[in-house]
Amino acid sequence: MDKQKAIYDYLRSVDCCRVCCLRFLKATKEEFVDIDAALEKRGLEEAHETNGDQGAKKLKANICVACLGLFDLDTIESIASEVKEHASYQQYQCEAGFLTSISLPIVLHLRQLALWFDVLERFPETFTAGTAPDIAVKDALKSIVIHQLEQSLAKPFSVDGVMVNVPFTYANEQEELGTLELISPGVFANRKSNKHTKKEFISRNAFEKHFTPTAINAERFRKLYPVPPVSKEQVGLARGELSFTGPTIFIAGRYNKFSRTLSQTPWMIDGKRMMEGSVQETIALAIAPHFGVSDEQLIFSSSGREDVDVRCLGEGRPFVLEIPDAKRDQLPEDVAVGMEQQVGNSKQVAVRDLQLVKREDLVHIRGTEDEKRKFYRALCVTTEPVTEEMVRKLCINEPFVLQQVTPLRVLHRRTLLARPRTVYSVRALACRENPYAMVVDIVSQAGTYIKELVHSDFGRTGPSFRSIIGTAIDIHALDVMAIDLDWPKKIRR
């Protein structure tokens, strides 16, 4: 007798459903999409056996000992139609498509293990103790569900789409899993003594590591758990409520800050708000409504930050807003323009170049920050009248390295360290209107504390402008003029 046929007939005889039989025959994704055709092509069932009402009734006769009814095709078909009609799904307008997250009880692994021991003994020429005997339950289910969702929703499977969450539970799971502690008590003794172990009885990873035919005693297992497994009281899996999670969208752009009394992000100290509004909140309020989320859900990142009293001019500072559970995944041109106009109406902040970007693009914001150059313009004041010699000393064309001990003003939130930073160039100009003032243009490595570069922070930064010109000097106003980051792409609207 053909080996495939022998395996199929045996598994059917112990109440494995047709889908689980195909799993143990290592069926392909395409075969799971059309079970009848796959069985007929493999010569496992005749066409008349798999068609019509008789086939449907045959499927429902007994609950499968392997999947506990998970592969009831009528139940699976109902998932696709329910998703399409679900009010929560209909609120998403995502062109990318969908993806699935299916939660299954660990007891299915236990039942797979029992069948594994069984087929090892009955078909040793086909199955081995070191290789899983089947296609994983979740993989087979996804092949079927994804195909049906694509047909029902007329949208493709995509990792950037709306996640369809499908949970399954089993009423007798704890009772069945309790046997594991008798089969391999050492595993659970170690888990209980390990403070890092999760509170659950056993995790999926722990099961796959400790409960395989090569890891446990087969004779002991057979004494404590039925081989092949059986369906007690015809209790199968129960499907929970469907839920949905929108994609995480990333919006990039550049912002200008024109106010000297506005923080970049909400400024809180000991739970108390220190300042009304922020750059982040001004931008988020304009962007969040289009994506159907609260502005408080948005996560703001930028290429560095400026102090409250520092303006950010020029082309602006690159930033990204991360938008979880977005209800839309597109940003039409007219909507982007409206967002930019709304932010501009604040008179304190402006944004440009708003666009969708990919997660992998965030490396521009979050990586290699120290390699970037920043361009500043500082209005400095001295205790003595500015001289030509001072101006000459502060015209430096060659890069130099300074050491900055964490400034006193940020020591409460920054680690105490000495940081080397490179200043690439300095150019000073005396002010005609004020003999005690000069304008200084500075190009420095990202992460340089410019205020401390000027006044030395009581000698904690050196060399400083104070040490270079030999007299006291401080900053009256500071502007960020440019950031050496050619990202995101410029869009001239």
Side-chain angles (χ1 to χ4, degrees):
M1 179 184 268
D2 178 72
K3 288 182 181 178
Q4 258 196 82
K5 178 66 172 170
I7 294 169
Y8 180 78
D9 288 344
Y10 173 71
L11 292 174
R12 291 291 282 155
S13 74
V14 297
D15 280 337
C16 274
C17 69
R18 298 187 305 155
V19 177
C20 284
C21 290
L22 281 175
R23 290 196 302 108
F24 277 83
L25 294 174
K26 300 293 181 77
T28 64
K29 289 182 178 181
E30 291 73 23
E31 287 180 301
F32 287 120
V33 168
D34 192 337
I35 304 299
D36 291 346
L39 292 172
E40 184 180 352
K41 184 176 181 179
R42 285 175 177 250
L44 301 175
E45 288 189 3
E46 298 296 331
H48 69 273
E49 292 183 68
T50 60
N51 291 328
D53 294 337
Q54 186 179 356
K57 291 176 182 177
K58 192 173 181 179
L59 274 175
K60 296 178 180 177
N62 293 306
I63 290 178
C64 173
V65 298
C67 71
L68 293 170
L70 178 67
F71 289 110
D72 181 277
L73 298 184
D74 291 337
T75 301
I76 294 176
E77 286 177 8
S78 71
I79 293 175
S81 58
E82 188 176 332
V83 168
K84 184 176 181 180
E85 301 301 325
H86 206 291
S88 295
Y89 174 76
Q90 291 176 354
Q91 67 181 321
Y92 293 96
Q93 301 175 33
C94 297
E95 295 182 8
F98 70 91
L99 70 160
T100 58
S101 174
I102 298 173
S103 175
L104 298 175
I106 294 177
V107 72
L108 295 183
H109 287 268
L110 176 57
R111 288 173 168 270
Q112 179 231 35
L113 179 59
L115 279 168
W116 194 347
F117 275 119
D118 194 25
V119 295
L120 270 176
E121 180 180 324
R122 294 178 182 277
F123 306 99
E125 70 286 355
T126 302
F127 299 97
T128 65
T131 304
D134 59 349
I135 299 297
V137 172
K138 186 175 289 189
D139 291 340
L141 182 60
K142 282 190 172 184
S143 296
I144 300 171
V145 171
I146 288 172
H147 173 74
Q148 294 190 359
L149 284 172
E150 286 180 330
Q151 301 297 311
S152 176
L153 304 178
K155 289 186 176 181
F157 175 85
S158 169
V159 294
D160 296 320
V162 178
M163 182 177 289
V164 181
N165 304 295
V166 189
F168 288 89
T169 58
Y170 180 53
N172 295 339
E173 178 164 57
Q174 293 307 311
E175 178 187 344
E176 286 198 31
L177 291 182
T179 310
L180 297 175
E181 199 162 6
L182 301 174
I183 294 170
S184 198
V187 171
F188 295 90
N190 293 335
R191 284 179 62 80
K192 290 174 182 177
S193 64
N194 187 344
K195 65 180 181 179
H196 299 295
T197 301
K198 294 181 179 179
K199 293 181 179 179
E200 60 193 345
F201 181 71
I202 188 169
S203 68
R204 201 171 306 277
N205 287 340
F207 187 100
E208 292 173 351
K209 177 181 179 181
H210 297 293
F211 292 92
T212 66
T214 58
I216 60 176
N217 182 278
E219 185 178 347
R220 184 179 182 82
F221 183 88
R222 286 175 175 272
K223 286 181 178 179
L224 295 168
Y225 194 83
V227 176
V230 295
S231 294
K232 295 181 180 179
E233 303 170 1
Q234 290 294 296
V235 176
L237 297 188
R239 203 203 80 203
E241 286 293 320
L242 297 177
S243 62
F244 306 89
T245 308
T248 297
I249 299 298
F250 298 91
I251 299 291
R254 294 178 176 83
Y255 77 79
N256 293 115
K257 180 168 86 77
F258 306 121
S259 170
R260 296 195 187 277
T261 58
L262 186 69
S263 59
Q264 186 196 62
T265 56
W267 187 6
M268 310 287 289
I269 297 180
D270 296 329
K272 182 179 180 182
R273 191 171 189 119
M274 304 304 295
M275 187 170 290
E276 285 298 321
S278 64
V279 172
Q280 171 185 324
E281 291 165 302
T282 303
I283 297 173
L285 280 170
I287 291 177
H290 172 71
F291 295 99
V293 299
S294 163
D295 60 285
E296 295 178 351
Q297 290 180 247
L298 275 57
I299 301 169
F300 181 88
S301 302
S302 65
S303 179
R305 61 188 301 136
E306 64 284 320
D307 290 339
V308 170
D309 58 351
V310 176
R311 298 186 301 179
C312 184
L313 308 178
E315 293 287 336
R317 186 183 297 278
F319 73 91
V320 169
L321 279 174
E322 181 177 341
I323 309 172
D325 194 21
K327 303 305 182 292
R328 293 186 176 91
D329 61 0
Q330 299 297 309
L331 181 62
E333 179 69 10
D334 61 325
V335 173
V337 170
M339 291 174 176
E340 293 179 359
Q341 290 174 345
Q342 182 177 335
V343 174
N345 290 339
S346 71
K347 306 301 182 185
Q348 293 184 306
V349 182
V351 294
R352 68 182 74 191
D353 304 330
L354 287 180
Q355 58 196 275
L356 291 171
V357 296
K358 298 290 186 181
R359 183 184 293 274
E360 51 266 31
D361 292 330
L362 301 195
V363 66
H364 297 290
I365 288 285
R366 296 173 179 171
T368 64
E369 181 66 23
D370 288 349
E371 297 176 12
K372 298 169 186 171
R373 296 188 181 197
K374 305 288 176 76
F375 299 77
Y376 300 90
R377 177 162 291 169
L379 176 60
C380 300
V381 292
T382 56
T383 55
E384 300 176 9
V386 174
T387 65
E388 290 186 10
E389 181 67 8
M390 291 180 187
V391 173
R392 184 187 66 78
K393 287 181 177 180
L394 289 180
C395 287
I396 306 169
N397 296 318
E398 294 298 321
F400 64 92
V401 177
L402 54 85
Q403 294 291 328
Q404 287 197 310
V405 177
T406 305
L408 294 172
R409 64 187 172 92
V410 300
L411 197 52
H412 65 286
R413 57 185 171 88
R414 292 283 188 269
T415 305
L416 178 60
L417 290 174
R419 299 173 176 84
R421 290 290 184 263
T422 301
V423 176
Y424 297 101
S425 67
V426 179
R427 180 174 178 269
L429 293 171
C431 292
R432 293 180 181 177
E433 296 83 2
N434 187 337
Y436 293 90
M438 66 176 90
V439 174
V440 187
D441 288 333
I442 306 157
V443 182
S444 71
Q445 180 184 358
T448 304
Y449 291 102
I450 300 300
K451 294 175 180 177
E452 285 67 26
L453 167 63
V454 173
H455 58 61
S456 89
D457 196 27
F458 301 100
R460 297 164 68 87
T461 290
S464 64
F465 290 180
R466 178 177 182 138
S467 66
I468 291 172
I469 66 174
T471 190
I473 183 172
D474 204 349
I475 279 189
H476 179 71
L478 179 64
D479 292 331
V480 179
M481 303 303 295
I483 294 165
D484 186 21
L485 176 58
D486 189 21
W487 184 89
K489 70 178 182 180
K490 296 177 181 177
I491 303 173
R492 297 308 179 196
R493 292 189 169 107

